[in-house]
Amino acid sequence: QTVKELNLAFLPVEERVFSLDNPHAYNDYYGGKMTDKRLDEIAEQLVTVCATLDESPCPKVRTCNSNLDCVKKLAAKVQTKLEMYKEADILTANNKSQLIILDRGFDPVSPFLHELTFQAMAYDLLSAASGKIDSEKNTYTFDSNKEGSLDDNTRKEIILDASNEVWNELRHD
């Protein structure tokens, strides 16, 4: 048996989704409160994502906002940390991919497109339905009325995670 240490400075939410867990980033960025220390933290988080995926990307910047310096600083910090990881043999030296850092002003529509995946629509619509969705437990609970049943209501629970084959297949479509 072997033990492998993983440097995770991010939250893996599910198989293809991660979070940097910074609910104030939007306000900090657009409010002009983004400090070098916070940029260092974000760069470290992004680099640990790259290290976990065994990718050594080349950071690229694309922006259309006046806060160009902040985005360029972040890209430079990510590049510096990637080089440090390469020197420490945590990452391979070849650039197999690109890390594109976009300003939110570059594509303001994307945050509203979340409803186009099965998972987002299920959470939005099931929350509005008669049942209850629990995002912490990833379950949907509802009352089912069967015709001819002695019970008026039968409570059912559907698990919305990788063990549910239909959910697992369709959630990102």
Side-chain angles (χ1 to χ4, degrees), residues 2-7 51-52 54 90:
T2 61
V3 176
K4 184 175 182 180
E5 180 180 345
L6 294 176
N7 184 6
T52 303
D54 196 27
I90 298 172

PDB file of all heavy atoms in Angstrom, residues 2-7 51-52 54 90:
ATOM      1  N   THR A   2       0.418   2.237  -0.739  1.00  0.00           N
ATOM      2  CA  THR A   2       1.148   3.494  -0.779  1.00  0.00           C
ATOM      3  C   THR A   2       0.202   4.641  -0.470  1.00  0.00           C
ATOM      4  O   THR A   2      -1.010   4.542  -0.647  1.00  0.00           O
ATOM      5  CB  THR A   2       1.767   3.737  -2.166  1.00  0.00           C
ATOM      6  OG1 THR A   2       0.719   3.798  -3.119  1.00  0.00           O
ATOM      7  CG2 THR A   2       2.764   2.651  -2.523  1.00  0.00           C
ATOM      8  N   VAL A   3       0.788   5.709  -0.024  1.00  0.00           N
ATOM      9  CA  VAL A   3       0.035   6.917   0.279  1.00  0.00           C
ATOM     10  C   VAL A   3       0.563   8.018  -0.621  1.00  0.00           C
ATOM     11  O   VAL A   3       1.771   8.195  -0.752  1.00  0.00           O
ATOM     12  CB  VAL A   3       0.198   7.334   1.763  1.00  0.00           C
ATOM     13  CG1 VAL A   3      -0.508   8.638   2.044  1.00  0.00           C
ATOM     14  CG2 VAL A   3      -0.313   6.237   2.677  1.00  0.00           C
ATOM     15  N   LYS A   4      -0.348   8.733  -1.243  1.00  0.00           N
ATOM     16  CA  LYS A   4       0.051   9.839  -2.097  1.00  0.00           C
ATOM     17  C   LYS A   4      -0.555  11.115  -1.541  1.00  0.00           C
ATOM     18  O   LYS A   4      -1.761  11.202  -1.306  1.00  0.00           O
ATOM     19  CB  LYS A   4      -0.417   9.619  -3.533  1.00  0.00           C
ATOM     20  CG  LYS A   4       0.052  10.705  -4.474  1.00  0.00           C
ATOM     21  CD  LYS A   4      -0.319  10.414  -5.905  1.00  0.00           C
ATOM     22  CE  LYS A   4       0.228  11.527  -6.788  1.00  0.00           C
ATOM     23  NZ  LYS A   4      -0.094  11.310  -8.186  1.00  0.00           N
ATOM     24  N   GLU A   5       0.274  12.103  -1.340  1.00  0.00           N
ATOM     25  CA  GLU A   5      -0.188  13.381  -0.816  1.00  0.00           C
ATOM     26  C   GLU A   5      -0.683  14.246  -1.969  1.00  0.00           C
ATOM     27  O   GLU A   5      -0.004  14.387  -2.990  1.00  0.00           O
ATOM     28  CB  GLU A   5       0.964  14.097  -0.101  1.00  0.00           C
ATOM     29  CG  GLU A   5       0.565  15.422   0.479  1.00  0.00           C
ATOM     30  CD  GLU A   5       1.717  16.111   1.184  1.00  0.00           C
ATOM     31  OE1 GLU A   5       2.734  15.450   1.471  1.00  0.00           O
ATOM     32  OE2 GLU A   5       1.607  17.316   1.424  1.00  0.00           O
ATOM     33  N   LEU A   6      -1.866  14.795  -1.820  1.00  0.00           N
ATOM     34  CA  LEU A   6      -2.430  15.693  -2.821  1.00  0.00           C
ATOM     35  C   LEU A   6      -2.544  17.089  -2.233  1.00  0.00           C
ATOM     36  O   LEU A   6      -3.071  17.264  -1.135  1.00  0.00           O
ATOM     37  CB  LEU A   6      -3.825  15.224  -3.266  1.00  0.00           C
ATOM     38  CG  LEU A   6      -3.893  13.910  -4.012  1.00  0.00           C
ATOM     39  CD1 LEU A   6      -5.348  13.551  -4.294  1.00  0.00           C
ATOM     40  CD2 LEU A   6      -3.123  13.993  -5.316  1.00  0.00           C
ATOM     41  N   ASN A   7      -2.058  18.047  -2.952  1.00  0.00           N
ATOM     42  CA  ASN A   7      -2.155  19.443  -2.527  1.00  0.00           C
ATOM     43  C   ASN A   7      -3.438  20.011  -3.119  1.00  0.00           C
ATOM     44  O   ASN A   7      -3.472  20.412  -4.273  1.00  0.00           O
ATOM     45  CB  ASN A   7      -0.920  20.205  -3.014  1.00  0.00           C
ATOM     46  CG  ASN A   7      -0.916  21.634  -2.532  1.00  0.00           C
ATOM     47  OD1 ASN A   7      -1.765  22.048  -1.754  1.00  0.00           O
ATOM     48  ND2 ASN A   7       0.041  22.396  -3.000  1.00  0.00           N
ATOM     49  N   ALA A  51      -2.102  20.840 -11.037  1.00  0.00           N
ATOM     50  CA  ALA A  51      -1.255  19.754 -10.536  1.00  0.00           C
ATOM     51  C   ALA A  51      -2.074  18.482 -10.329  1.00  0.00           C
ATOM     52  O   ALA A  51      -1.607  17.385 -10.641  1.00  0.00           O
ATOM     53  CB  ALA A  51      -0.592  20.174  -9.225  1.00  0.00           C
ATOM     54  N   THR A  52      -3.290  18.619  -9.844  1.00  0.00           N
ATOM     55  CA  THR A  52      -4.156  17.460  -9.637  1.00  0.00           C
ATOM     56  C   THR A  52      -4.505  16.797 -10.960  1.00  0.00           C
ATOM     57  O   THR A  52      -4.574  15.577 -11.061  1.00  0.00           O
ATOM     58  CB  THR A  52      -5.439  17.881  -8.891  1.00  0.00           C
ATOM     59  OG1 THR A  52      -5.069  18.489  -7.650  1.00  0.00           O
ATOM     60  CG2 THR A  52      -6.332  16.694  -8.622  1.00  0.00           C
ATOM     61  N   ASP A  54      -2.601  16.874 -13.515  1.00  0.00           N
ATOM     62  CA  ASP A  54      -1.313  16.615 -14.158  1.00  0.00           C
ATOM     63  C   ASP A  54      -1.204  17.364 -15.489  1.00  0.00           C
ATOM     64  O   ASP A  54      -0.791  16.824 -16.503  1.00  0.00           O
ATOM     65  CB  ASP A  54      -1.087  15.119 -14.360  1.00  0.00           C
ATOM     66  CG  ASP A  54       0.379  14.817 -14.663  1.00  0.00           C
ATOM     67  OD1 ASP A  54       1.250  15.602 -14.231  1.00  0.00           O
ATOM     68  OD2 ASP A  54       0.648  13.809 -15.342  1.00  0.00           O
ATOM     69  N   ILE A  90       6.716  18.593  -9.288  1.00  0.00           N
ATOM     70  CA  ILE A  90       5.310  18.292  -9.006  1.00  0.00           C
ATOM     71  C   ILE A  90       4.537  18.249 -10.321  1.00  0.00           C
ATOM     72  O   ILE A  90       3.592  17.487 -10.465  1.00  0.00           O
ATOM     73  CB  ILE A  90       4.709  19.343  -8.042  1.00  0.00           C
ATOM     74  CG1 ILE A  90       5.455  19.297  -6.700  1.00  0.00           C
ATOM     75  CG2 ILE A  90       3.216  19.114  -7.841  1.00  0.00           C
ATOM     76  CD1 ILE A  90       5.093  20.402  -5.751  1.00  0.00           C
TER      77      ILE A  90
END
